[in-house]
Amino acid sequence: MKTVNASVVSVEPGAVVLEFPFQADLTQQHGFIHAGIVSTVLDSAMGYAAFSLMPVNAAVLTIEFKVNLLSPAKGERFTAIGKVKKAGRNITVAEAELFAHSDGQRKLVATMVGTVMSVYDREGIHN
């Protein structure tokens, strides 16, 4: 998240909001935020939302996701909202949405749904 200058706006049990500004160096050839960046931020929002419900000794890993790119990601800033759909002891299903903000308007540009795993006592993985 440091790479894209994303910041945490809010954290509640099962929900996280992230935000990042438009940056030309994160765009693809048409000047839109690259799909890889969109996926990265959505994955983090979804993963942090799941992580917010995990035990203190757990770490989090995404094990699969699907992204729908609904509209070009263009705007002055972007907000990602991650929410847990179903939390389990080891596996959690979560979703995220990315909104572009421009000229006082908010537009949904991408969605993600995925599965996140709680990890315990695994070498090289820390919470």
Side-chain angles (χ1 to χ4, degrees):
M1 294 296 76
K2 190 178 202 179
T3 301
V4 300
N5 295 310
S7 57
V8 177
V9 175
S10 67
V11 178
E12 298 176 19
V16 169
V17 178
L18 305 176
E19 189 170 271
F20 70 100
F22 174 84
Q23 296 152 86
D25 58 334
L26 301 179
T27 62
Q28 43 80 292
Q29 69 275 15
H30 302 296
F32 309 131
I33 298 297
H34 193 281
I37 300 300
V38 168
S39 298
T40 297
V41 174
L42 287 171
D43 179 40
S44 290
M46 181 186 76
Y48 290 146
F51 191 47
S52 73
L53 297 178
M54 292 180 185
V56 175
N57 63 332
V60 62
L61 284 177
T62 300
I63 56 176
E64 67 84 28
F65 64 71
K66 181 193 185 311
V67 177
N68 287 298
L69 303 167
L70 307 173
S71 184
K74 60 181 180 176
E76 299 155 6
R77 64 185 173 86
F78 301 87
T79 303
I81 302 171
K83 295 181 182 177
V84 170
K85 303 264 307 167
K86 170 79 168 72
R89 181 167 124 58
N90 293 312
I91 301 295
T92 296
V93 176
E95 63 186 3
E97 296 178 316
L98 185 72
F99 294 90
H101 300 269
S102 186
D103 298 323
Q105 302 291 318
R106 180 176 98 152
K107 182 177 183 178
L108 179 64
V109 297
T111 62
M112 175 180 281
V113 63
T115 309
V116 180
M117 176 178 153
S118 301
V119 179
Y120 303 93
D121 303 320
R122 188 171 299 178
E123 185 177 331
I125 299 176
H126 308 283
N127 56 355

